[in-house]
Amino acid sequence: MPQFFLNKRLIILLVSIIILVALIGFSLRDREELTWPEQFVKDTTGLVQSMVSRPAHYVAGFFESLKDLQNTYEENKELKKHLDDIARTEAKLYSLERENAELKEILEIEESLGDYEPMQATIISRSPDRLWHEMIIINKGKSHGVEKNMAVMTSRGLIGKVKSTTPFTSTVQLLSALDPTNRISAAVQGKEKPLYGTIEGYDKENEWLLLKGLPIDAKIKEGENVITSGLGGVFPADVPIGKVHEVVPDEFGLNQTAYVKPEADLYNIEHVMILTRGMTMPPESENNEEAEGENL
Amino acid sequence: MKRYLVPLLLAFLFVFEGLFAQLWPADWFNGDYIFVPRFLIIALLFLSIYGSMKHGIMYGFIFGLMFDMVYTEIIGIYLFMFPLAVYIFWNIMRLVDTNIIVVSVVSIICVALLESGVYLMNLLIHIANMDFSSFSKIRLIPTLILNFSFILLFAYPFKRQFEKFADSLRND
């Protein structure tokens, strides 16, 4: 009898390992869309999560404001200093924007890769399995027009891209994820011309992003801006990512790797913007006709 | 009503883990350490010892699958690890005395086993690329500290709740 039980246990273990490997293999594939049970579970939990997260945020927000009050005086002094600079930059920006519009008119360019439409979203949850899965769940989904691989940013800079969507929520993979398939085409705003590379990988210990594939002869200085390049995918161009911290030759000496300090805070995120590239949008007239048709 | 209290408590802990990860001030100590809430598995371990082992394993499967779907998008890891952790815990508890201090210590050991198991699996599928020493410094030890303080606070309420649950099962 004991022999039989031992065998039964062994068989259960073996079968479950086979199922485990099959399931992991299935979910590791580069999937276009989640299966419907997954979407259903995510949407249901998303509903509960958004109900719970709102009041929790109010309570957390209250304590945070109390903490903020403590150093208001210091901050105010600092901000006043910056304010003088801002007036000057704003004036400059205004004239540059007008000049840009005029020049575009001359060249008859209507759209550029840098055009995007921001969509506001709020975080309802975050994956507790941090370090392996740096993901956040937001309250906008397929029915609001979110698609896979769209760029997501806070007011300060890029934080990640949409990993998957369900009808009412979507999951965003942050830049700090260790996942090697998490790649973003980026460029260094050099003195003369932009230098292209890809953001791949994250150094947890120093909190640096790795910008790989930069040309070996390029001279990149510390503190230069890194932005999205807008090449490929649905990413818009010119979204700030961070600043170059250090440049080293890569392991084979063919390329350079830049360590980039991310601009956005990847920890305390509350509101995000999902960016829809303006250029891939269908023409205006089509939308209007559809809308009119529905009204009739 | 009492019948639904346990699944409701587990579902609340499941949602709460996500909320906790979001609201926890992650930039403590420069964000060098990662505190992973493992409250759900602690509740499952207590359920298996004070409530019933069968229910512990069953809820382990259900919530493991949900955890995989919602929080990691890789189905299989927690689906496998949650019931396994409950099973190992229950087998250890059969050998030793079941007073609340021993249960607490063994459950923190099982949380450590779960964390290491998840790390090993992620290492196998190339999601983690970190050696064990930095993993234990960055994630394992802070996680154990956080969860041990959770156990200190909730061990007794959990015990009472699950014993009531076991009583109601026996009466049926």
Side-chain angles (χ1 to χ4, degrees):
Chain A
M1 219 40 195
Q3 188 67 36
F4 171 70
F5 271 116
L6 203 68
N7 277 342
K8 198 176 136 196
R9 228 177 264 167
L10 199 70
I11 287 167
I12 291 178
L13 188 71
L14 282 177
V15 169
S16 51
I17 284 175
I18 290 168
I19 294 174
L20 170 77
V21 170
L23 278 172
I24 291 180
F26 168 74
S27 38
L28 272 182
R29 276 187 316 152
D30 196 14
R31 293 189 288 174
E32 266 308 303
E33 217 176 35
L34 297 175
T35 54
W36 70 262
E38 278 173 280
Q39 296 199 8
F40 177 74
V41 170
K42 285 196 110 171
D43 267 347
T44 321
T45 47
L47 190 73
V48 180
Q49 279 164 342
S50 51
M51 278 194 306
V52 180
S53 79
R54 203 152 299 165
H57 266 293
Y58 282 127
V59 177
F62 176 73
F63 284 107
E64 219 151 88
S65 342
L66 279 186
K67 213 171 73 185
D68 283 349
L69 269 179
Q70 282 181 336
N71 35 25
T72 316
Y73 180 72
E74 292 289 313
E75 253 173 22
N76 200 12
K77 256 202 300 200
E78 190 80 6
L79 286 175
K80 268 184 186 154
K81 250 184 259 167
H82 285 295
L83 215 59
D84 300 337
D85 290 339
I86 284 184
R88 207 172 53 231
T89 343
E90 231 169 40
K92 203 170 161 192
L93 183 73
Y94 175 72
S95 65
L96 280 174
E97 248 176 17
R98 224 180 41 190
E99 199 180 301
N100 193 5
E102 272 169 23
L103 288 172
K104 267 186 184 168
E105 217 167 274
I106 296 168
L107 288 170
E108 293 176 343
I109 301 171
E110 278 185 348
E111 293 161 325
S112 79
L113 285 173
D115 293 339
Y116 54 75
E117 309 247 325
M119 187 198 300
Q120 299 290 335
T122 312
I123 296 183
I124 55 174
S125 191
R126 183 174 183 145
S127 172
D129 200 11
R130 286 191 48 210
L131 193 61
W132 315 140
H133 301 278
E134 292 280 0
M135 299 196 297
I136 54 175
I137 303 170
I138 54 176
N139 66 348
K140 289 278 158 71
K142 243 187 287 183
S143 62
H144 304 94
V146 181
E147 279 164 38
K148 202 186 164 179
N149 289 330
M150 276 183 173
V152 180
M153 69 182 289
T154 61
S155 51
R156 281 160 72 188
L158 189 77
I159 56 165
K161 65 178 176 183
V162 176
K163 187 165 187 258
S164 67
T165 57
T166 67
F168 303 108
T169 63
S170 30
T171 308
V172 178
Q173 187 169 41
L174 298 180
L175 291 174
S176 50
L178 297 171
D179 187 356
T181 58
N182 194 19
R183 285 194 199 130
I184 287 155
S185 171
V188 182
Q189 280 182 321
K191 270 270 147 55
E192 290 140 25
K193 55 175 186 190
L195 300 158
Y196 296 108
T198 47
I199 296 270
E200 33 180 304
Y202 182 72
D203 185 342
K204 170 65 198 150
E205 259 143 85
N206 301 307
E207 280 152 27
W208 289 332
L209 295 165
L210 307 181
L211 176 60
K212 290 185 179 170
L214 294 164
I216 188 73
D217 53 346
K219 287 186 181 64
I220 299 160
K221 278 195 227 85
E222 198 188 310
E224 281 184 329
N225 284 321
V226 178
I227 53 169
T228 57
S229 67
L231 302 174
V234 288
F235 264 59
D238 304 334
V239 179
I241 296 176
K243 284 192 162 58
V244 174
H245 189 271
E246 199 186 336
V247 185
V248 291
D250 77 351
E251 52 206 306
F252 307 114
L254 299 168
N255 285 313
Q256 290 188 95
T257 298
Y259 294 124
V260 178
K261 196 130 196 61
E263 198 84 17
D265 185 348
L266 297 172
Y267 297 122
N268 303 317
I269 319 161
E270 194 175 331
H271 297 287
V272 295
M273 285 180 282
I274 309 157
L275 307 181
T276 321
R277 194 153 84 182
M279 241 180 135
T280 49
M281 293 286 276
E284 278 283 289
S285 56
E286 245 179 62
N287 284 337
N288 286 341
E289 271 166 32
E290 266 177 33
E292 276 166 23
E294 272 170 19
N295 284 336
L296 289 171
Chain B
M1 186 61 216
K2 269 199 182 127
R3 183 176 274 269
Y4 299 112
L5 216 57
V6 165
L8 269 179
L9 172 73
L10 295 176
F12 172 76
L13 286 174
F14 176 76
V15 172
F16 182 70
E17 279 188 0
L19 197 68
F20 184 91
Q22 191 196 341
L23 293 178
W24 178 261
D27 40 7
W28 265 19
F29 314 110
N30 285 328
D32 285 346
Y33 303 112
I34 286 174
F35 298 85
V36 183
R38 287 277 176 237
F39 309 149
L40 182 63
I41 188 68
I42 292 169
L44 286 173
L45 296 177
F46 275 74
L47 172 65
S48 75
I49 195 73
Y50 290 118
S52 87
M53 146 83 168
K54 214 177 75 193
H55 279 76
I57 299 255
M58 190 185 75
Y59 285 125
F61 268 118
I62 296 172
F63 282 97
L65 183 64
M66 271 169 70
F67 197 99
D68 279 333
M69 281 178 171
V70 176
Y71 291 130
T72 70
E73 298 204 343
I74 293 169
I75 300 164
I77 295 183
Y78 283 93
L79 175 71
F80 185 71
M81 292 307 294
F82 274 4
L84 187 71
V86 173
Y87 184 74
I88 292 174
F89 175 75
W90 193 75
N91 272 304
I92 298 174
M93 288 320 294
R94 277 204 309 192
L95 304 176
V96 292
D97 185 30
T98 53
N99 70 54
I100 196 160
I101 297 164
V102 177
V103 172
S104 304
V105 172
V106 176
S107 59
I108 204 72
I109 292 170
C110 277
V111 170
L113 283 178
L114 172 79
E115 274 290 309
S116 321
V118 170
Y119 162 74
L120 273 179
M121 281 192 158
N122 280 320
L123 203 64
L124 277 178
I125 59 174
H126 293 285
I127 281 185
N129 51 0
M130 196 176 259
D131 55 279
F132 190 80
S133 66
S134 27
F135 158 72
S136 58
K137 199 186 87 192
I138 290 174
R139 186 168 143 154
L140 184 62
I141 292 167
T143 299
L144 292 183
I145 293 170
L146 170 73
N147 287 294
F148 195 65
S149 40
F150 178 82
I151 291 178
L152 286 183
L153 285 174
F154 285 94
Y156 189 63
F158 273 175
K159 176 177 180 242
R160 268 184 45 186
Q161 194 56 51
F162 294 135
E163 273 171 351
K164 267 189 212 162
F165 178 69
D167 280 344
S168 73
L169 279 181
R170 239 171 274 139
N171 291 336
D172 278 349

